[in-house]
Amino acid sequence: MTANSLLQVSNLHVEFTTYGGIVHAVRGADFHVERGETLAIVGESGCGKSVAVQSVLGLIPIPPGRITQGEAILDGHQILGHQTIEGKDIRGNRVGMIFQDPMTSLNPTMTIGNQIAEPLKLHRKMSGAQAKKRAIELLEMTKIPEAAKRASQYPFEFSGGMLQRAMIAMAIACEPDLLIADEPTTALDVTIQAQILELIKDLQQEVGMGLILITHDLGVVAGVADRVVVMYAGEILESGTADEIFFAPSHPYTLGLLSAMPTNRRDVVQTLMPIPGSPPDLFSPPEGCGYAARCPQAMEACVANRPTQFTVSDSHFSKCWLHHEACEHRVLEVQQV
Amino acid sequence: MTELSFRPVETAQDVEKTSRPSLSYWQDAWLRLVANKRAMTSLFVIIFLILFAYLGPLVWRADHTEQHLDKTSQAPWVNRNAILIAEEAEWEDVVVADPTGTHQAPMSVEVIGEARTTSVGLKWDAVPNAAGYRIYRHILEPKAGFPLGLPIGETEDRTHVSFQDRMDIQQKTYWYSVAAVDEDGKDFEEFTSVEVRPRLYITVGEALRLGYITDASKVEPGDTVLLDWHPLGTDYLGRDMLARLMKGAQVSLSIGIVAPLLFIIIGILIGSVAGFFGGAVDSALMRFTDFVIALPFLLFMILFMVWFGIEAGGSGIPAMVVALVLLSWPGVARLVRGEVLQIREHGYVEASRLLGGSNSWLIGRHMIPNTMGVVLVSFTFAVPATIFTEAFLSFIGMGVVPPTPSWGAMCNDGIRTMEKTPHELLFPALFISITVLAFNLLGDGLRDALDARLRSRE
Amino acid sequence: MPRYIGMRLLQGIFTVWFIATATFWVMHSIPGDPLESEKAMSPEIRANLEAKYGLDKNEFIQYWIFLGNMVRGDFGWSFEHENRRVNDIIAEQFPVSATLGILAIVFAGLGGVLWGALTALYRNKWPDVLIIILVILGISVPSFVFATVGQLGIVTLNKIAGIDVPVAGWGTVWHMLIPALVLGLGTMAFLTRLMRTSMLEIVNADYIRTARSKGVPIAQIFSRHQLRNAILPVLTVLGPSIAGITTGGFVVENVFGIPGLGKYFVTAVQQSDYGVIMGTTVFYGAFLVLMVIIVDLLYAVVDPRVRLNK
C-alpha cells in the first residue's frame, strides 16, 4: 500500500433496502490498485465483489442501494458521491468499465460506432467525424476485422466475442487510468475467453492503465493478476500477491477455493473438493466470521467474534483467527487438503 | 477484547436445506395473489358484483320493467314524504278590472297558496293592450332571447290573470314565465318569471289507487304517507334504477363471462392442435387465424348482429355471444399455440412421449395444463374487454334489444337526460367502470402471481 | 427491405380479399329483403332496382362482380338513398373521420409516450401516482361516457367563461379538439401504461448501466438510450390502436354530431342500407390493413433488428 495509489478504497459498506429487509452486501472492504497493476477480486457470485466496485463509481441504483461508510480515493481525490474530479468526468474518462454480458450491455438501437464515439464526444469534445474515425481506430486496436464496416453495424449483428471487443474499445476510448473488467469472460466461450483476456492484458500494457479484474474464476486470475483480493459474504478475507494466494493461501476459504479448482497439471493426482454449504444470509450477517459455518477449521472464536486483519507478510493479509498468536492451530497447507 | 476461545467446533457439513416448503405451481400462485391487496380487493368486488346481479333481485324485488310515468327521472335523493290532501279544489279564475298603464309584461307573478306537486296556481297583474296571456314552464332560469320553456297554457282575456298547472309536476325547481300575447297570438317581447319549488303532495284518491293507503276513512288530509322507495332513483320511464341495474348486471356479466369462456375453449383447441402438430396443420390454421384477426372487430360485430337479426321479443344476448365467439377466438389460439410450441420442446414432454404417451395424452396432460396460466390471465383481461364491447354496441343501439337492460343500453338511455338527472347515466357508467377496473386489476395480479420469471427471480 | 414491403403488401391484399369475401357472404345470407321499404313497390320498379343493384343474378356471379368492383375501387351503391354511390359517401365523410382519427392518434401517441415517460421518471412519487390513477380511469371508463362528459364540459365551460366553443358539429379547429381528445383518451391511457412498463424495464437494462459507466449525463441517457428503446413496444401496438380509435369514432361522431363516416355507418346499419354497410366495411377493413402495414414499416425503420433481418 503506497501513499499515492491509483485507487484506494477503505472500509466500504454498502446496503440495499429490499422488500425482505436490508441486505448488507458489502461489509467493510479495503483494497487498492496501483498504476499499471492488475488487481483481481475473486469470490463466489453474490459475495459483493461487483457491488463494491460499482458503488465506488456510483453505478449502483440509489435507492435501493446506499453507501453507509467508507471512502474511495482516486489519484488523491475523494470520489464517493462525486461524478467529476477537477472538473473532469471520472466515469468513461478516468475510469473505463467492461461488463459481464456483452449481448445485453450494448444499446440495441444504436450502432457500435456511435456507442464508442459517445464517450469521445462527451469527454474529449471531439466532433462527430473525429469521434467516428477514432472509434474505427479503436475497433482496429481491439482486432475487429473490417472495423470501418463493423462500426456502422448494430449489436445484434455481432457475435458475443466481437461485442466484448467492442465493449473494450468503448471502455478504453478515452485512455482511462483505470479499467474495471467485471466478469469480462464469463458469458463467452472458453476459446474466446483466452483471446479477450490477452487483449485486455495487451491494451493495459499499451495504455499503461491500472486494471481491476472481477471474477469468480480462479483460472482466469492465475495468468493475469499481479495481486489478488478474496471476497466472501461482503468482506475481504485475504489479499496478497498472486503467488502468495496460489501457493501460500493463509485463509481456509482461499484454500477451499483452490481445492475446488481443477488444474491442468498431469503430475498431480487431484480430487476436487467442493466447499459444503452455502454463503450466509446477508439480511442478517453472522456475528463472527462469515465463513465459520462452512469452515472445516472453525473454532469457537470464529463463531462469536469477527476476525481482525492479520499481517502474514508485507503484501499478504488475512482475516482469520488462526493467525492469532494465542491460537495453536495453523491454516492447513495446500498439499494437506 | 473478550477472551477468545480457540477450541475447534463441529461445523455442519450439510448446511444445505430447503428454506421453504415445496408448493405446487397453483398453490404458490394463489399465495402470491392473496398477498396482493389490489388483486384481492378486486376479487371481492367481482364476487360482490356477481352476488348483486344474481342474489340482488331476490332481496330487492322491484320489477325492472314496470313503468311509472308519474315519477320519471326521479333522483335517488328525492324526498318521499308526501302530504295527503283531499281532491284538488275546484279552480276559481281570478278576474281583475281592465288595467291601465304602459307596461308590456305583468309587474309580478305570484303563486296562489302553496305550490304543490298536485297543482301550482299562479296569478299576476293585468297588462294593458294584451289579448291574453301565455304561460310557460322551464327548469332553467329563462333569459331574454331564449325559449321560455314548455308553453303550458293560455288565457283568452286580459282580465283573466290566473292559471293552474296540474301537468306532471315534480319536486324540482321550476321557473314559470307569463308573457302577454297580442291579437294574433304573438307573445310580447317582455315577460315576467317566478321561481317555484313545489312540495310533495298526493291526493287521497291517487294514494288509494297506488296502494299507499287502504282505507280513505282512516286518514286525514295533512297526514304524510311514505311513497315508494327508489334507492337509486328511476329512469326516464319511471322504472326503478336499482332493479334495472341488477338485471343489467346479469346481462352484462353473463355476456362478459360466457362469451370469453366459450372463445377461450375454442382458442385452446385450435391453438393446441396447431402448436402440437405443427407443419401443414399449423400453417393452415394459423393463416385462417391471421385472417380472422384482420377483420375489423367492431364492424364485424355489427355485421353479425345484423346477420343474426333479432326475432320479436328476443333479447339479442345469444346473438351477441355467438358474434363475440366467432370473432374473438384467434387471440387465444395464437397465445396457446405459442405456449405449446415452447412446451413441446421441454424434456418432460419428450420423456412422456418416450414412455408411450399418446398425442391426446400429451395434449391433455402436459400441453393444456401448462398453458392454463396464460389462458387464465387472458380470460381475466377478456372479460372487461367484452363488457366494453357489449356496452359499446348497446350504446349505439346494436346490442341487446330494449327493454332488456344492459349497462351499456342504460347509459344510452341516460344520456338523453344527462343534464337534468345525471344519475341515469352515472350509475350504469359507474358499474361498467368498476367492473372493468376490478377485472383489469385482478388480471394484473394474476399475471404477476403466475409469472414464472418473477417466481424464479425471488 | 423492399422484399419485406412487398411481402407485407401481398399479405395485406389477401387479407382485404378475405374481408371482402366475409362481408359479401355475411350480408348476402342475412334473411329478409334488402329492398324492403315502407312504400309499396310495383313489380316493374322492383325488377329495375334489382337489375340496378345486380340482385337479379346468381349469387356467385354477384360475388365476382362485387370483387371486380372492389378491385377497381368501386364500393357500390346506397340502397337507401337513390343514386348515391358509396364512393361519393366515403369521399365526403371519410376525410372528416380521418382528420378526427389522426388528431386522436396524435394525442394518444404523444400523450402516452409523454405521460409514460413522466411516470417512469417520477416512479412512486406523486406525479406517478396521479397519472396512474388517471390511467386506470382512462382504461375503465367507456368512451361514450368520456364523450358525454366532454360535451357537458364544453357546455359548462362556455357558461362559466362566457365563450362559445361549439358543442357539436364540424368545421373549425374548435369543433375538432375536444372530440379528438375524447376519442384518444382510452388509447392514451393504454399507451401510457405500456410506456411506463417499458421504461421501467429499460431503467434496469444492462446497456443503461453501460451508458452510465461511460459518463453519459442523465438527460442524454434518458433521451438517447432509454426513450428510443422504450418507444418500440408502444409502436407495435399502434396498429391495433388505430383500429380501436376508428371504431371509437362511431360513438364520438354520434355524440358530437360530427358528419363522419362512422356516424354514417351507424345510421346505415339502423336503416339496413346493405349497399353502404358492405361498401364501408370493406373500405374500413382495407384502410385498417393498410394502417397496420404502415405501422409495421415504421417500426422496421426505428428498430434495426427488424429492418435488417427481413
Side-chain angles (χ1 to χ4, degrees), chain C residues 31-86:
Chain C
D33 178 5
L35 292 180
E36 188 183 69
S37 67
E38 287 88 56
K39 38 187 184 195
M41 211 180 277
S42 70
E44 297 89 63
I45 293 178
R46 193 182 171 85
N48 278 339
L49 278 178
E50 279 185 351
K52 174 178 171 186
Y53 297 126
L55 294 174
D56 51 348
K57 299 186 187 71
N58 172 308
E59 283 205 329
F60 285 95
I61 296 171
Q62 284 186 45
Y63 173 62
W64 282 115
I65 294 172
F66 172 77
L67 278 190
N69 288 344
M70 291 291 144
V71 169
R72 284 197 307 275
D74 175 1
F75 291 100
W77 296 84
S78 164
F79 283 22
E80 202 66 25
H81 307 277
E82 271 173 60
N83 297 323
R84 281 272 282 170
R85 299 178 61 86
V86 176

Side-chain angles (χ1 to χ4, degrees), chain A residues 58-79:
Chain A
L59 287 178
I60 56 164
I62 300 174
R66 187 166 70 244
I67 299 174
T68 50
Q69 267 188 62
E71 59 177 11
I73 310 289
L74 179 71
D75 208 8
H77 302 273
Q78 169 67 260
I79 59 167

Side-chain angles (χ1 to χ4, degrees), chain A residues 69-129:
Chain A
Q69 267 188 62
E71 59 177 11
I73 310 289
L74 179 71
D75 208 8
H77 302 273
Q78 169 67 260
I79 59 167
L80 280 191
H82 295 266
Q83 304 240 346
T84 55
I85 42 180
E86 291 172 339
K88 293 201 168 147
D89 285 304
I90 302 166
R91 299 197 300 231
N93 189 24
R94 303 290 300 268
V95 181
M97 218 169 158
I98 307 165
F99 294 99
Q100 177 173 354
D101 189 353
M103 295 297 208
T104 57
S105 294
L106 287 159
N107 186 338
T109 57
M110 216 168 152
T111 62
I112 297 286
N114 277 338
Q115 295 191 56
I116 299 175
E118 207 174 17
L120 292 167
K121 288 185 206 163
L122 281 168
H123 309 304
R124 293 275 181 271
K125 308 289 174 231
M126 286 191 184
S127 70

Side-chain angles (χ1 to χ4, degrees), chain C residues 169-222:
Chain C
W170 192 248
T172 66
V173 177
W174 291 108
H175 285 104
M176 303 173 188
L177 281 182
I178 302 283
L181 194 64
V182 162
L183 183 52
L185 268 183
T187 311
M188 191 194 290
F190 174 67
L191 294 182
T192 303
R193 199 162 107 133
L194 193 67
M195 182 73 187
R196 178 175 188 270
T197 324
S198 155
M199 285 289 282
L200 290 182
E201 238 163 58
I202 286 173
V203 169
N204 297 322
D206 285 350
Y207 58 83
I208 295 297
R209 187 183 57 191
T210 307
R212 280 162 40 108
S213 82
K214 287 195 287 189
V216 182
I218 290 178
Q220 203 171 324
I221 288 183
F222 179 74

Side-chain angles (χ1 to χ4, degrees), chain A residues 276 292 295 298-301 305 329, chain B residues 2 4-9 11 13:
Chain A
C295 181
M299 302 174 292
E300 282 171 359
N305 303 81
H329 308 288
Chain B
T2 50
L4 294 169
S5 156
F6 296 113
R7 200 144 17 101
V9 291
T11 47
Q13 291 297 294

Side-chain angles (χ1 to χ4, degrees), chain A residues 9-212:
Chain A
V9 175
S10 331
N11 195 29
L12 183 73
H13 286 73
V14 184
E15 295 176 356
F16 285 90
T17 311
T18 68
Y19 286 112
I22 292 173
V23 180
H24 303 269
V26 179
R27 308 183 294 144
D30 301 272
F31 59 89
H32 64 100
V33 59
E34 308 298 327
R35 286 178 180 75
E37 185 196 40
T38 301
L39 172 73
I41 302 181
V42 292
E44 297 172 50
S45 40
C47 74
K49 51 193 194 299
S50 292
V51 171
V53 174
Q54 288 186 14
S55 62
V56 166
L57 290 178
L59 287 178
I60 56 164
I62 300 174
R66 187 166 70 244
I67 299 174
T68 50
Q69 267 188 62
E71 59 177 11
I73 310 289
L74 179 71
D75 208 8
H77 302 273
Q78 169 67 260
I79 59 167
L80 280 191
H82 295 266
Q83 304 240 346
T84 55
I85 42 180
E86 291 172 339
K88 293 201 168 147
D89 285 304
I90 302 166
R91 299 197 300 231
N93 189 24
R94 303 290 300 268
V95 181
M97 218 169 158
I98 307 165
F99 294 99
Q100 177 173 354
D101 189 353
M103 295 297 208
T104 57
S105 294
L106 287 159
N107 186 338
T109 57
M110 216 168 152
T111 62
I112 297 286
N114 277 338
Q115 295 191 56
I116 299 175
E118 207 174 17
L120 292 167
K121 288 185 206 163
L122 281 168
H123 309 304
R124 293 275 181 271
K125 308 289 174 231
M126 286 191 184
S127 70
Q130 281 175 316
K132 177 109 198 245
K133 194 165 151 272
R134 178 73 185 139
I136 294 171
E137 286 171 22
L138 283 162
L139 284 175
E140 278 164 356
M141 273 173 78
T142 51
K143 304 196 174 63
I144 290 181
E146 296 181 275
K149 185 185 144 213
R150 287 300 208 162
S152 56
Q153 289 184 335
Y154 290 90
F156 72 95
E157 298 170 86
F158 276 53
S159 68
M162 283 295 152
L163 277 180
Q164 198 58 298
R165 285 169 193 270
M167 277 288 291
I168 294 169
M170 200 160 76
I172 62 162
C174 295
E175 292 164 354
D177 301 329
L178 176 63
L179 179 66
I180 295 171
D182 190 349
E183 306 254 7
T185 57
T186 307
L188 304 176
D189 286 349
V190 182
T191 46
I192 315 252
Q193 285 185 0
Q195 294 174 13
I196 294 290
L197 276 176
E198 200 176 319
L199 177 68
I200 294 176
K201 202 69 201 161
D202 288 351
L203 288 168
Q204 183 198 11
Q205 270 150 21
E206 214 169 296
V207 184
M209 52 194 175
L211 171 66
I212 296 181

